[in-house]
Amino acid sequence: MEPSSIQEPFDLIRLSLSERVFVKLRGDRELTGILHAYDGHMNLIMSDVEETIMLVEGDQPGVAPTVNVAKRKLDMLFVRGDGVILVSPPSRT
Amino acid sequence: MLIFSVFKTLTDQQVTVELKNDLSITGVLKSVDQFLNIRLDNIKVLDEARHPHMMAVKNCFIRGSVVRYVQLPSEHVDTQLLEDATRRESLAAVKR
């Protein structure tokens, strides 16, 4: 089996190493950053990270909820795998 | 195992641990174990006004499962080495 082929889901993440990835996390958080390491728990180490936190307010029915977005930048970050919902490879346009 | 090794190389460095309850603690990483439990010395809570009960705490042991992020000192992380080690570990996992 050639190592660059996609055989299992983790291969998609392996091919994204050293590339900018999008990560969706629990708690209405999203990250984009350069992926440097991961393991079977989907613990991640990323650099040059921008975190987006969505704060949804107003949950009464009939009232449109307002979404406040908070962003911050982080230099080098370890992300614990149990919070990860999805990892998306960079869009190759 | 790989990420455990990374944390071991970062002992005695200053890190910021962000917990799932939004508490952020900066301190010197003294030790780590296989569950990524973390022991921090000389700690400082980032938003002390919001967490006054933490003011007297000078060192702590953090259960790995409550951690959301750890901000690492980037100058002490060799990203090339990390990527190579990750590829090696993922290939070893497939062979198993």
Side-chain angles (χ1 to χ4, degrees):
Chain A
M1 183 184 73
E2 49 181 317
S4 66
S5 63
I6 294 189
Q7 299 288 334
E8 54 164 309
F10 268 120
D11 292 347
L12 199 68
I13 304 180
R14 195 185 73 235
L15 296 175
S16 305
L17 280 170
S18 79
E19 303 226 43
R20 188 162 282 277
V21 294
F22 170 83
V23 181
K24 192 170 163 61
L25 297 171
R26 299 181 72 151
D28 300 315
R29 285 161 195 264
E30 293 173 353
L31 304 174
T32 63
I34 299 165
L35 181 67
H36 296 297
Y38 67 85
D39 65 12
H41 303 289
M42 277 219 224
N43 294 320
L44 312 171
I45 294 177
M46 297 162 72
S47 71
D48 194 19
V49 181
E50 186 179 67
E51 184 193 29
T52 309
I53 309 169
M54 260 81 76
L55 303 148
V56 183
E57 278 162 36
D59 50 2
Q60 311 98 304
V63 181
T66 54
V67 181
N68 285 315
V69 176
K71 282 182 192 271
R72 61 173 173 159
K73 291 203 190 292
L74 303 150
D75 206 18
M76 182 68 69
L77 191 68
F78 159 79
V79 182
R80 191 170 166 92
D82 59 2
V84 175
I85 294 172
L86 68 86
V87 180
S88 170
S91 55
R92 295 194 176 82
T93 45
Chain B
M1 226 64 233
L2 175 117
I3 295 209
F4 173 43
S5 315
V6 174
F7 276 110
K8 273 198 287 188
T9 65
L10 290 171
T11 50
D12 293 318
Q13 301 296 334
Q14 186 95 5
V15 297
T16 301
V17 181
E18 185 177 323
L19 309 185
K20 285 175 178 153
N21 64 359
D22 291 326
L23 179 64
S24 289
I25 307 170
T26 302
V28 179
L29 180 66
K30 290 317 283 184
S31 63
V32 66
D33 66 15
Q34 55 167 333
F35 304 110
L36 306 184
N37 297 323
I38 289 171
R39 205 161 63 79
L40 290 183
D41 269 6
N42 209 345
I43 66 164
K44 190 126 187 85
V45 170
L46 255 61
D47 191 355
E48 283 210 311
R50 212 155 68 85
H51 308 279
H53 55 290
M54 290 293 292
M55 262 158 70
V57 185
K58 290 289 157 255
N59 53 68
C60 65
F61 175 94
I62 300 170
R63 184 178 157 100
S65 65
V66 302
V67 172
R68 180 187 291 135
Y69 303 134
V70 183
Q71 289 168 240
L72 310 171
S74 55
E75 63 274 19
H76 294 286
V77 179
D78 184 338
T79 55
Q80 191 60 53
L81 199 76
L82 271 184
E83 288 162 21
D84 293 344
T86 303
R87 287 195 189 93
R88 262 201 305 280
E89 201 179 68
S90 74
L91 287 176
V94 168
K95 276 181 202 139
R96 253 182 260 126

